[in-house]
Amino acid sequence: MPEQRLLVFAGSYAEPEGSGVYVYSFDENTGELSLLDEFAGLKNPTFLNVNPVTRKLYAIGETVSASDEKVGEAAAFDIDPATGTLALLNRTQTVAPTCHIQRNAEGNRLTVPSYHGGMVGLLSIGADGKIGELLDVVQHEGNSVHPERQDRPHPHSTFYSPDGKLLFVQDLGLDRIRAYSLAGDKFKLHSEAATHPGAGPRHLAFHPNGKFAFVINEVDSTVTSFAYDAVAGTLTEIESVPTLPEGFEGENTTAEIVVSEDGAYVYGSNRGHDSIVVYAVDVNTGKLSLVEHVPVQGEHPRHFALTPGGKYLIAANRDTNNIVTFRVDKASGRLEYTGLSLSVSKPVCVQPFYFEV
């Protein structure tokens, strides 16, 4: 039988001359990360997408066009799971500078939203894993109620429906979640859901039962539960709950949201309060109840992930230059700091996956 190896990939803010993408092995007995490889040459490869089946990694980046304009780029890497090393396959310009990267289940399309450009790009992936042509771009228009954060569109992430037929785009600037079909490699608006004004939807996570979706709202530090109708491809709001403890008065923005594999718990990150908020899920109603807030042992947890199987949570603290691991009590959902904190410059994204070696 092939051996399973757990690798963790990290993206960060970095200049091209410095390392920006890192590969670690993960010891599931201790929660310890050990550096295997690092890649320099990309500017701000802050978000990553990993395909463990084809052993490919995709990273966003920033570059300058022939007309000297700031634009996004995407880079493809081959992963050698035996050594944990990366080999660059190709890199290509995308749209205006991007903040997220997503891949479809078939592994032949990438989507890249541009927060500042207010648009989302669709790219092909070749049979060799290389990133191909820009197939389509959809431009959002409009605004919402916050005078600074929502004066224009700010799509922040793209996530596929459980059946892969629809792409959900969370637009922080519009307080809208737009669902697109991609028939004929063109974006076609299928449905739209609104969050409450001033919410600022950032990231989305579907419940494993396919009946609910949870959206973390960056601007007002809330999580909104939605009922998902898979046949109609629509979201209907259930309720919104705060991510912050009662009485907290400091500045805060939220970042990532994750649902446990068993669907029992939802986790979200607070930047400012610098915590992971844990909720229990009512699987009959989709409503959330607070379990606890856990300090992240650093500042500005831009992203975090649960390891496959849910035994650990790994948090990337951008402003304190550290990646931290927590044990997860799967019965209660609660987190316990392992005491292990790894130093890395401005980490933003962590992606743990099993590979056969």
Side-chain angles (χ1 to χ4, degrees):
M1 290 286 292
E3 183 185 343
Q4 294 265 303
R5 186 180 197 188
L6 185 53
L7 299 179
V8 178
F9 304 84
S12 66
Y13 280 105
E15 293 302 319
E17 57 270 20
S19 295
V21 180
Y22 302 85
V23 187
Y24 302 93
S25 63
F26 189 84
D27 186 329
E28 292 190 86
N29 293 316
T30 65
E32 186 174 8
L33 291 158
S34 300
L35 182 64
L36 299 175
D37 196 18
E38 53 192 291
F39 180 85
L42 292 172
K43 180 177 175 64
N44 296 336
T46 53
F47 221 88
L48 310 176
N49 182 277
V50 177
N51 188 336
V53 176
T54 62
R55 301 180 172 186
K56 300 293 185 287
L57 179 145
Y58 300 97
I60 63 169
E62 297 175 22
T63 188
V64 178
S65 69
S67 56
D68 209 33
E69 289 181 295
K70 284 185 180 180
V71 293
E73 72 170 338
F77 296 86
D78 197 41
I79 302 165
D80 182 341
T83 61
T85 52
L86 298 174
L88 181 66
L89 293 174
N90 77 317
R91 51 200 291 185
T92 184
Q93 290 186 18
T94 57
V95 292
T98 55
C99 56
H100 194 261
I101 188 165
Q102 187 60 266
R103 171 183 46 80
N104 66 350
E106 294 77 17
N108 61 3
R109 297 292 182 266
L110 288 172
T111 47
V112 285
S114 172
Y115 179 88
H116 292 292
M119 65 185 73
V120 184
L122 175 67
L123 296 139
S124 65
I125 301 174
D128 58 0
K130 292 182 179 180
I131 301 168
E133 64 181 323
L134 182 64
L135 300 170
D136 196 22
V137 178
V138 62
Q139 177 71 55
H140 286 187
E141 303 289 347
N143 60 281
S144 192
V145 298
H146 194 289
E148 285 123 26
R149 301 297 312 279
Q150 297 180 311
D151 62 332
R152 59 189 137 161
H154 290 307
H156 215 306
S157 63
T158 61
F159 291 95
Y160 281 94
S161 59
D163 62 9
K165 293 179 180 178
L166 295 175
L167 182 76
F168 286 83
V169 179
Q170 290 55 245
D171 196 310
L172 178 151
L174 302 183
D175 284 324
R176 294 287 186 274
I177 300 159
R178 288 182 170 163
Y180 292 95
S181 63
L182 297 176
D185 286 330
K186 299 293 180 186
F187 289 103
K188 182 180 179 182
L189 184 62
H190 175 83
S191 65
E192 182 174 276
T195 59
H196 54 274
R202 178 184 171 102
H203 283 192
L204 170 148
F206 278 96
H207 192 276
N209 68 12
K211 297 177 181 178
F212 306 112
F214 304 96
V215 173
I216 195 159
N217 301 308
E218 177 177 332
V219 177
D220 77 346
S221 298
T222 58
V223 170
T224 302
S225 301
F226 290 91
Y228 180 58
D229 184 330
V231 175
T234 55
L235 296 171
T236 303
E237 182 174 348
I238 298 168
E239 68 166 357
S240 293
V241 296
T243 65
L244 293 167
E246 194 173 339
F248 178 78
E249 295 180 351
E251 290 187 11
N252 189 78
T253 57
T254 62
E256 178 64 323
I257 186 165
V258 172
V259 184
S260 62
E261 287 181 10
D262 62 6
Y265 299 99
V266 166
Y267 299 84
S269 63
N270 285 305
R271 300 173 293 176
H273 188 250
D274 294 327
S275 63
I276 301 293
V277 58
V278 185
Y279 307 97
V281 181
D282 185 324
V283 296
N284 296 311
T285 65
K287 292 186 175 182
L288 303 178
S289 55
L290 179 67
V291 175
E292 65 174 348
H293 292 88
V294 181
V296 290
Q297 309 297 324
E299 296 175 7
H300 199 97
R302 182 79 179 271
H303 188 258
F304 67 90
L306 292 171
T307 57
K311 189 177 177 181
Y312 289 91
L313 183 146
I314 308 170
N317 296 320
R318 189 195 69 185
D319 290 357
T320 42
N321 305 307
N322 65 330
I323 297 175
V324 180
T325 57
F326 297 85
R327 291 184 188 87
V328 180
D329 183 325
K330 293 173 71 174
S332 69
R334 291 178 177 270
L335 305 179
E336 178 190 13
Y337 177 42
T338 61
L340 298 171
S341 176
L342 177 82
S343 294
V344 59
S345 179
K346 298 178 181 177
V348 170
C349 175
V350 284
Q351 299 280 4
F353 284 93
Y354 280 123
F355 286 80
E356 288 189 354
V357 293

